[in-house]
């Protein structure tokens, strides 16, 4: 989101603190979960068991909050849903909140979005739009991964490593690059050529991981793992050779609905790394 005019520092700071705190803390603070929630803590009821009910709940909550809903079809049954709550300003500060870039991690981001929409529907005066802030909630960036419980999309692409230009894709797809060489050096550790056998392969992977870390060093193993690769489409952590359908559909919508903006915050919710509960 490109900034088109200056914004007073105090207003920007207030917007950042209020919206970021709400998005990250919403499941652990004073929000009320559905009255019939049988779980403890009750915030657990904002989580959905699967993609289809999560999407249905998101659409219903968006309508109750007065949002404009946009639907981007990946297939006939799988969609990215985008709820836009506008602000009465030409270039408002804008929050973009995304869930499900890694499909299997979408449950947490979807729950945050559902809780925020419920709060704003119950108390419209607390909605960011009442303070001149536009909100764009992107539900299930990777609907295939959410539906199937997979990190990757329908093409086996890791969307978190896919948002590149054509020139960047071309440069990274060369098999002789340093990144490719580093990945290939560790490929034997995480690319399995047969079905996984519980317990046996669990133990085998643990032993191989310890061996790799001792032999190659934790730094190199971690760098090879998190950097991704662009030369082996059938292997893990593949970033693709061009924009995936999710990004090809989503980018034009964000350019239209989230811009221009005087300031922007983008929160992309993941649950794969980091301390528990953060």
């Amino acid at each position: 989101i490109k900034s088109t005019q200056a914004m007073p520092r105090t207003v920007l700071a207030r917007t950042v603190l209020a919206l970021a705190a709400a998005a990250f803390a919403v499941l652990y603070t004073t929000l009320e979960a559905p009255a019939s929630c049988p779980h403890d803590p009750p915030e657990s009821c904002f989580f959905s068991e699967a993609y289809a009910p999560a999407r249905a709940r998101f659409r219903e909550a968006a309508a109750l909050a007065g949002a404009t809903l946009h639907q981007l079809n990946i297939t006939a049954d799988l969609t990215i849903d985008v709820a836009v709550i506008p602000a009465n300003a030409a270039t408002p500060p804008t929050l973009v909140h995304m869930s499900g870039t890694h499909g299997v991690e979408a449950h947490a981001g979807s729950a945050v979005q559902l809780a925020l929409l419920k709060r704003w529907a119950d108390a419209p005066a607390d909605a960011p739009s009442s303070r001149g802030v536009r909100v764009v909630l992107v539900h299930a960036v990777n609907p295939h991964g959410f539906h199937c419980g997979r990190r990757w999309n329908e093409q086996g692409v890791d969307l978190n490593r896919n948002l590149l230009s054509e020139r960047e894709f071309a440069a990274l797809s060369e098999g002789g690059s340093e990144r490719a060489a580093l990945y290939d050096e560790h490929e034997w550790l995480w690319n399995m050529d047969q079905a996984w056998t519980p317990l046996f392969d669990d133990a085998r992977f643990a032993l191989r991981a310890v061996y790799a870390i001792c032999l190659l060093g934790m730094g190199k193993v971690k760098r090879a793992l998190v950097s991704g690769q662009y030369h082996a489409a059938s292997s893990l952590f593949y970033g693709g050779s061009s924009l995936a359908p999710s990004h090809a559909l989503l980018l034009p919508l964000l350019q239209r609905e989230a811009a221009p903006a005087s300031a922007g915050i983008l929160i992309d919710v993941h649950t794969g790394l980091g301390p528990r509960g953060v």
Side-chain angles (χ1 to χ4, degrees):
I1 301 173
K2 294 184 178 179
S3 176
T4 58
Q5 65 182 45
M7 186 180 186
R9 183 175 300 178
T10 56
V11 177
L12 176 59
R14 193 176 305 159
T15 301
V16 171
L17 290 174
L19 293 178
F24 282 115
V26 67
L27 299 180
Y28 306 99
T29 54
T30 58
L31 281 176
E32 294 182 3
S36 59
C37 181
H39 301 295
D40 184 20
E43 290 82 9
S44 300
C45 283
F46 289 117
F47 286 81
S48 301
E49 292 289 337
Y51 163 73
R55 181 178 67 175
R57 296 177 73 189
F58 178 82
R59 290 176 174 178
E60 180 182 5
L64 291 174
T68 300
L69 194 63
H70 302 268
Q71 179 178 305
L72 304 175
N73 289 75
I74 301 299
T75 68
D77 300 319
L78 300 175
T79 61
I80 302 171
D81 291 88
V82 183
V84 180
I85 303 178
N88 188 22
T91 58
T94 299
L95 167 69
V96 178
H97 184 285
M98 304 170 67
S99 68
T101 298
H102 287 151
V104 72
E105 302 174 13
H107 298 272
S110 175
V112 171
Q113 292 169 340
L114 190 65
L116 285 170
L117 288 168
K118 183 180 186 301
R119 167 187 274 183
W120 298 334
D122 292 346
D126 293 336
S129 56
S130 67
R131 301 189 296 274
V133 176
R134 173 173 53 203
V135 175
V136 180
L137 302 178
V138 182
H139 184 265
V141 177
N142 178 5
H144 171 86
F146 193 178
H147 176 63
C148 297
R150 306 291 291 176
R151 177 185 176 96
W152 334 107
N153 78 344
E154 63 279 0
Q155 301 171 326
V157 170
D158 184 338
L159 294 183
N160 203 40
R161 294 163 173 82
N162 177 253
L163 198 57
L164 302 173
S165 67
E166 291 184 5
R167 179 177 297 180
E168 289 172 318
F169 277 119
L172 289 169
S173 64
E174 298 175 2
S177 68
E178 181 181 352
R179 181 196 295 258
L182 181 64
Y183 181 87
D184 289 342
E185 185 179 4
H186 299 78
E187 182 270 345
W188 58 270
L189 177 58
W190 46 67
N191 283 327
M192 303 299 168
D193 56 4
Q194 61 187 22
W196 189 274
T197 303
L199 298 181
F200 172 77
D201 280 318
D202 292 344
R204 185 175 69 162
F205 177 78
L207 291 173
R208 295 173 93 183
V210 171
Y211 173 77
I213 292 171
C214 292
L215 179 67
L216 302 170
M218 183 62 184
K220 290 185 66 177
V221 172
K222 185 176 181 180
R223 191 163 65 254
L225 178 68
V226 302
S227 296
Q229 54 87 15
Y230 297 84
H231 65 288
S234 62
S235 299
L236 294 180
F237 308 108
Y238 178 59
S241 59
S242 61
L243 283 181
S246 289
H247 287 146
L249 291 170
L250 185 58
L251 284 175
L253 185 142
L254 290 178
Q255 289 169 348
R256 184 175 70 248
E257 299 294 335
S262 59
I265 308 166
L266 192 151
I267 300 174
D268 185 13
V269 180
H270 290 261
T271 62
L273 297 173
R276 184 178 180 85
V278 176

